[in-house]
Amino acid sequence: MEISASDGDTAVSYRPEERRLAVERDGETLLDGRVRLDVGDEELPATESATIGESGEVVRAVHDGVWGTTVELEAGDGTIDVRVAVRNPRDRPVALGDLRPLTDARAPSLGAETRRYRHGYQSWTPTATLPVGERFPAEENPPQMLDPAAPPDASHGVTALLADDSALTMGFLDHSRFVSRFEIDHDADGVHGVSAVCPGDGTRLDGGERLVLPTLRIDATHDLPDALAALADATADRMDARVPADAPTGWCSWYHYFTDVTAADVRENLGSLGEWGAPLDLVQVDDGYQTAFGDWRTLAEGFEDVERLVDEVREAGRTPGLWLAPFYVQSDSALAADHPEWLVTDDGDPVDAGPRHGPMYALDTTHPDARRWLRETFETIADDWGFDYLKLDFLYAAALPGERHADVTRAAAYRSGLSLVREAVGDDTFLLGCGAPQGQSVGLVDAMRVGPDTAPHWRADPASQPAHENAIRNVLNRQWTHRRLWLNDPDCQLVRETTDLSLAERRSFAAVVALLGGSNVISDRVADIGEAGRRLVERTLPPVETGQVRGVGERELPTRVVAERPADGGLAVAAFNWRDEPLTLRVDPAEYGLGAVRVWDAFERADRGTGPVEREVPAHGCLLAHLAPTRDRPHLVGSDHLANLASRVTAVDWDADGTLSVTLDASRPQTAVVATPDDWTHAGDAGDAGIDGERSETTEIELAPGENDLSFERR
């Protein structure tokens, strides 16, 4: 007896008598495992009989045993959705253990050449594709960086196994109840076992209650980028993702002042931003304004009149923002001393949430009194103090394993706390999640930090630690979440020249920020930013809508990012050298589906003619090429904006009278590079963008916000 479903190259079958689930592609077995549900003190047994049925596109097997386990398979667009449900037939509650719609699956065809996409648990957990047998270095602070209830190498929410040009991608489509994960048993010889796990966390299933596990999607048809995008779209639909229209820009106090920030420092930088005039909206106060983690309304010296500071930020035409870590509690805080019953515990002792200012604990977001305190805290911050933007850090603490007031899973406890924050501040307050379980935050935050902190240096070990390289790794490998689950936050640009970052490294991070379209925040003392740093920041503004990362699934650090300009087919292509020594890089327009093109080297500010561009790039540097299809009349090629203005150019038209019309969606002028073939000249003042003393075939022209009619004449 068997049920099966197939679509595209993906086929899944289920044999009830063995609880056996198998995945095939083109007749080849990829995975062969079992459905295992641990309920109470037993594993639900297999049954000799089941009722087979179908309804539309859904095929169903209902086990005839008293637990009434149901397995459904539904074919989609090259995918199969697996849904598993179970009912407690007893007149008393039972505890839920690990619930596995797939466990111990053999992978006979996934050998030594297989690569594994590992998705990290929270913002800072490393996310990348590695060859089987390779793992990220051990974490120095596991409670902070990993899911303590999972194997260290687990992939959370989604995973993929890749060989040659094919991918097997699996992901859960809802994360409201479980901190779901995938466990891959692998070594240098290949993959030996795969399990998909929804941990019940020992919570109760009441008598007569039916539990439906989140849908497990299996995709052996699409390549990894397309499969991840489809997973994100399906998750966003189920969890009501919040995706604001505009990505934030601004300034943050952290990476210059750290915990020594004062209100005077904030005022100084507010004034400096006004003198600079860059379109940076947010002014966000980070850690240092409070006396302790947990005592958020007890202000440090100099911040007593925080309402006045907020008013000054708003009067300057900017958005006031505040950082806090609402679920992360300092052991010597007044909150911990006065209300130990508000903490997540293990055998009566506070759970270790990972050290920061001495031992740190986790707030029990299910405790009624703690919830009242949480609501009052956020109503004070949003309504009384007046902050419109909140960065919520160390959020993972609310999902740590432990004993809570309410009998709910860790994911449910986490979402309960975050939902309360959202209710307290309202829908109009912008929430950025950081140090946050990823899938469990969908629908509650507007933006999500998707990588480790940046830092005034390039590299640090292990891979979760603050460093530009570590931040970039995750940002590239999680771009598929941007504008699907939330807006991505890559963390802050650091452009002052007094850090350990080279010019090449600062430019590479600026290119990542500009082309991918997430939040764009700086964190230097503004007065310390020189002219070159200011120009680099200005060239990343305003944020474009999105960009594409090429090579996800092929290597740990993808080396190509592309931003499209749909209005006329232009592109910005960033080619990165992540090596520790110089490397010659080449951007060939043919690789991006373009024929004859014009090429503008954005960092060198040079016309590269009509062919591929190739040059030596320093360690950790970037070759950034702006491309546009050639035409026999004037047309846009590049721009001062690193992303080639991308979505900010909303329309491009040509009139036979010699008028090139360009519509710009921006608050201030932008410089564009226009190709002017031999028999054409710009009717206005043309800048010379030529090289080697030859006649320039490109002209730099300032575009104003709105529609621009650029006049050209034949020679």
Side-chain angles (χ1 to χ4, degrees), residues 99 101 119-121 147 150 154-158 171-183 195-199 201 214-216 410-411 439-440:
L99 309 168
H119 186 253
Y121 167 54
D147 176 2
S155 185
H156 279 78
V158 62
F172 290 98
L173 301 187
D174 190 285
H175 308 279
S176 301
R177 185 164 182 171
F178 302 104
V179 181
S180 58
R181 65 180 186 263
F182 293 86
E183 300 173 1
S195 296
V197 186
C198 294
D201 298 328
T215 298
L216 171 63
R410 296 182 293 131
Q440 291 69 33

Side-chain angles (χ1 to χ4, degrees), residues 137 166 247 376:
S166 61
E376 291 168 1

Side-chain angles (χ1 to χ4, degrees), residues 220-337:
T221 303
H222 302 98
D223 63 18
L224 180 59
D226 287 346
L228 291 173
L231 276 168
D233 287 338
T235 298
D237 182 60
R238 285 163 172 77
M239 299 184 71
D240 296 323
R242 298 173 59 96
V243 183
D246 298 318
T249 65
W251 174 84
C252 164
S253 64
W254 178 246
Y255 289 105
H256 181 86
Y257 299 99
F258 297 96
T259 58
D260 294 328
V261 66
T262 66
D265 295 327
V266 178
R267 290 186 170 97
E268 177 204 300
N269 283 276
L270 178 63
S272 296
L273 287 171
E275 294 169 4
W276 178 5
L280 295 165
D281 172 61
L282 173 70
V283 173
Q284 184 230 302
V285 181
D286 214 280
D287 188 1
Y289 68 89
Q290 80 291 353
T291 57
F293 280 61
D295 301 337
W296 304 108
R297 287 176 279 172
T298 305
L299 299 173
E301 183 178 352
F303 280 100
E304 296 89 351
D305 195 5
V306 68
E307 296 98 328
R308 180 57 197 151
L309 181 61
V310 168
D311 288 343
E312 291 176 31
V313 172
R314 191 170 280 113
E315 288 165 3
R318 304 187 192 276
T319 298
L322 188 71
W323 166 97
L324 69 161
F327 308 145
Y328 195 46
V329 181
Q330 207 164 314
S331 61
D332 60 354
S333 65
L335 184 147

Side-chain angles (χ1 to χ4, degrees), residues 364-382:
D364 178 1
T365 54
T366 72
H367 193 288
D369 293 336
R371 291 176 63 80
R372 275 190 287 274
W373 169 87
L374 198 60
R375 181 180 293 277
E376 291 168 1
T377 296
F378 278 92
E379 287 175 346
T380 297
I381 291 169

Side-chain angles (χ1 to χ4, degrees), residues 121-122 138-148 353-355 396 400:
Y121 167 54
Q122 53 110 315
E139 292 292 345
E140 298 173 351
N141 190 355
Q144 195 170 91
M145 301 301 177
L146 302 173
D147 176 2
Y396 70 87
L400 286 168

Side-chain angles (χ1 to χ4, degrees), residues 556-644:
E556 178 182 341
L557 273 166
T559 58
R560 293 289 189 277
V561 172
V562 178
E564 298 180 353
R565 193 169 63 208
D568 68 343
L571 297 177
V573 178
F576 295 99
N577 170 24
W578 301 131
R579 299 185 184 183
D580 293 337
E581 60 279 330
L583 180 68
T584 297
L585 296 179
R586 174 185 174 92
V587 173
D588 186 347
E591 295 179 14
Y592 304 95
L594 300 176
V597 298
R598 195 84 198 177
V599 182
W600 173 258
D601 190 326
F603 281 132
E604 298 297 315
R605 301 186 61 81
D607 177 12
R608 297 301 184 190
T610 58
V613 56
E614 180 177 296
R615 64 177 172 83
E616 185 176 84
V617 175
H620 315 147
C622 172
L623 167 60
L624 180 57
H626 291 178
L627 315 176
T630 57
R631 295 176 173 88
D632 59 1
R633 44 81 174 172
H635 60 277
L636 289 183
V637 177
S639 74
D640 198 45
H641 194 293
L642 297 185
N644 207 359

